[in-house]
Amino acid sequence: MKIQKNYNLSKLNTFGISVQVKFFVEINTEADLKELFNIKEFKNNEKLFLGGGSNVLFTKDFNGLVILNKLKGIEILKDNSNDVFIRCMGGEMWYSLVDFSVERGLWGIENLSLVPGTVGAAPVQNIGAYGVEIKDVLENVEAFDVDMGKNKIFQKEECKFGYRDSVFKNEFKGKYFITAVTLKLSKKENKNINYKILQDYLEKNKIEIKNSKDVSDAVGAIRKSKLPDPKVIHNAGSFFKNVFVKVSEFEKLQKIYPEMPHFDEDEMVKIPAGWLIEECGPVNGISWKGYKKGNVGVHEKQALVLVNYGGATGEEVLSLANEIISSVKDKFGLKLSPEVNLI
Ligand code: EPU
């Protein structure tokens, strides 16, 4: 294990922002963590955990220690007639875990196909797509307490999952380095294809779902058609969260904007932030969708995604995000919040 000084992170964040960090270290084994705990650079610095770097925006250099999760391994813990319990190390890529599960015909995470990032980062923001969230199949999260230097297991309830939210983003932010995640997946067919866009895609292409891989392939195809590949255009997926309002508030908005798309969820109404952004713009009559300014812009097929066309700074992206937030506030009175972690 080697601590590196003045390390550039441009290759380790999918936004491709060039920032320097004071110290950088890679964790390849659990023993590395114990060793790191006794090192002075660890004790004396602010810490930032990094996985795939696909949900962060660096707005300035980081004057602390970045700890990159490279813990690898996927194992089947137990297997009964209905379920399989899979333990996956935090540094595995999420898509590898989805592939591992669909290759074995298991059900549960096929809708989360091609979500970028690592397994360790997945519970932090409770990744979700096409009607499924990781919390639906999660058993527990293993983590290393960076203040005490020991391991802790969080059962699902202790993670306090919400929409793109968990305890690891709030009260325990920066306190637990996620080492492994255990999921309970189903051997029995358990398909979840009610998400409108997925349903429409299956109907249009006359796809009959025979196994979990069919779902994973369909989701992969939809994602590829709408979301920019960070290897080609730098981005961090949805930059903003969708907006949830009370039914009464939605009814008022609907009177003014009868065409506003909406989805009922747990006694609240979800309004797609992508639509709100598409309806606003830098000036009247121009939409943010497909907008470009200098090195940054709003993706042309999904207005929730901000992109760095090359050479952008984090401040440039943030300044565009702030312009979008104020335009949505001015027009609809609704407050967008970032989904990505701003550093
Ligand atoms: N819409 C627009 N314009 C847009 C984009 C979306 O009008 O430019 C409206 C449409 O009405 C569409 C609805 O938004 O029917 C929903 O769009 P979509 O299914 O593409 O999903 P989303 O709500 O925009 C969320 C997640 C995505 C996830 C998709 C699919 C958030 C913040 N984003 O986006 O997650 O892939 O659902 O389930 O919840 C990510 O987190 O990085 C991410 C990509």
Side-chain angles (χ1 to χ4, degrees):
M1 194 193 55
K2 184 166 152 248
I3 301 225
Q4 304 191 55
K5 259 191 116 171
N6 299 324
Y7 194 86
N8 187 284
L9 279 193
S10 57
K11 292 206 167 54
L12 291 178
N13 70 99
T14 60
F15 249 128
I17 305 291
S18 176
V19 282
Q20 293 289 121
V21 300
K22 192 166 152 206
F23 297 110
F24 174 82
V25 68
E26 269 184 30
I27 295 300
N28 290 289
T29 65
E30 289 188 78
D32 281 350
L33 273 176
K34 299 255 176 315
E35 189 187 332
L36 182 66
F37 186 71
N38 295 312
I39 291 177
K40 70 172 188 315
E41 286 86 348
F42 183 83
K43 294 252 186 266
N44 303 339
N45 283 285
E46 191 187 341
K47 292 167 252 310
L48 175 71
F49 311 139
L50 201 59
S54 54
N55 205 41
V56 282
L57 175 67
F58 287 95
T59 58
K60 51 182 180 305
D61 288 344
F62 180 71
N63 191 29
L65 169 68
V66 167
I67 308 172
L68 184 69
N69 192 336
K70 301 271 274 183
L71 298 171
K72 299 282 186 208
I74 307 181
E75 61 177 320
I76 293 180
L77 286 184
K78 54 180 178 173
D79 185 333
N80 59 36
S81 52
N82 293 325
D83 308 301
V84 175
F85 292 78
I86 297 182
R87 177 173 183 259
C88 183
M89 301 307 287
E92 287 285 352
M93 292 310 288
W94 175 260
Y95 66 76
S96 309
L97 180 56
V98 175
D99 288 350
F100 182 95
S101 90
V102 300
E103 275 161 17
R104 285 161 181 76
L106 301 172
W107 296 84
I109 51 174
E110 59 283 358
N111 294 42
L112 299 174
S113 178
L114 292 194
V115 169
T118 54
V119 169
V124 176
Q125 56 168 134
N126 183 24
I127 57 165
Y130 304 95
V132 171
E133 291 177 331
I134 191 176
K135 77 161 173 35
D136 303 334
V137 291
L138 187 127
E139 274 294 294
N140 64 50
V141 172
E142 293 167 55
F144 181 76
D145 178 335
V146 298
D147 298 326
M148 309 303 281
K150 52 183 194 201
N151 298 323
K152 174 169 163 68
I153 298 184
F154 289 83
Q155 298 306 325
K156 185 204 277 281
E157 313 72 59
E158 296 174 272
C159 299
K160 299 189 190 160
F161 288 121
Y163 168 61
R164 293 295 192 279
D165 204 24
S166 77
V167 78
F168 306 107
K169 253 183 134 170
N170 296 297
E171 61 254 51
F172 292 150
K173 191 173 175 181
K175 185 165 161 60
Y176 289 98
F177 180 88
I178 295 180
T179 51
V181 167
T182 296
L183 304 182
K184 179 183 172 186
L185 302 178
S186 173
K187 286 184 176 174
K188 302 240 163 87
E189 183 179 292
N190 188 14
K191 64 181 177 219
N192 186 341
I193 50 173
N194 296 330
Y195 195 84
K196 180 86 173 65
I197 290 177
L198 177 56
Q199 213 172 29
D200 291 350
Y201 176 86
L202 297 174
E203 271 167 30
K204 189 170 157 239
N205 293 285
K206 301 192 172 48
I207 296 170
E208 192 204 328
I209 299 297
K210 292 181 288 302
N211 49 48
S212 57
K213 184 166 185 307
D214 292 340
V215 179
S216 159
D217 288 347
V219 166
I222 302 171
R223 290 188 75 98
K224 281 187 183 148
S225 73
K226 289 213 177 154
L227 295 166
D229 178 353
K231 289 194 201 85
V232 183
I233 306 177
H234 293 301
N235 76 90
S238 300
F239 192 91
F240 300 101
K241 293 190 211 177
N242 284 320
V243 181
F244 288 80
V245 295
K246 291 204 186 102
V247 177
S248 55
E249 191 180 349
F250 173 69
E251 283 167 353
K252 282 185 206 149
L253 282 163
Q254 201 182 28
K255 287 207 176 90
I256 318 170
Y257 305 102
E259 71 289 9
M260 184 179 268
H262 56 282
F263 303 90
D264 295 338
E265 277 190 31
D266 302 331
E267 306 189 359
M268 299 287 277
V269 179
K270 179 176 94 178
I271 305 173
W275 184 85
L276 297 170
I277 297 169
E278 195 173 335
E279 291 296 306
C280 297
V283 287
N284 262 344
I286 294 186
S287 169
W288 287 120
K289 199 171 183 172
Y291 173 83
K292 280 188 193 172
K293 182 185 184 183
N295 302 319
V296 296
V298 179
H299 190 56
E300 67 218 5
K301 293 190 190 139
Q302 167 53 292
L304 262 189
V305 178
L306 302 189
V307 297
N308 164 14
Y309 286 106
T313 61
E315 284 123 317
E316 270 178 276
V317 179
L318 189 60
S319 132
L320 174 62
N322 285 332
E323 281 184 61
I324 293 172
I325 293 172
S326 12
S327 69
V328 169
K329 179 89 188 144
D330 290 348
K331 180 159 180 179
F332 297 104
L334 295 173
K335 190 173 180 313
L336 291 184
S337 343
E339 200 226 292
V340 299
N341 296 301
L342 305 176
I343 311 287

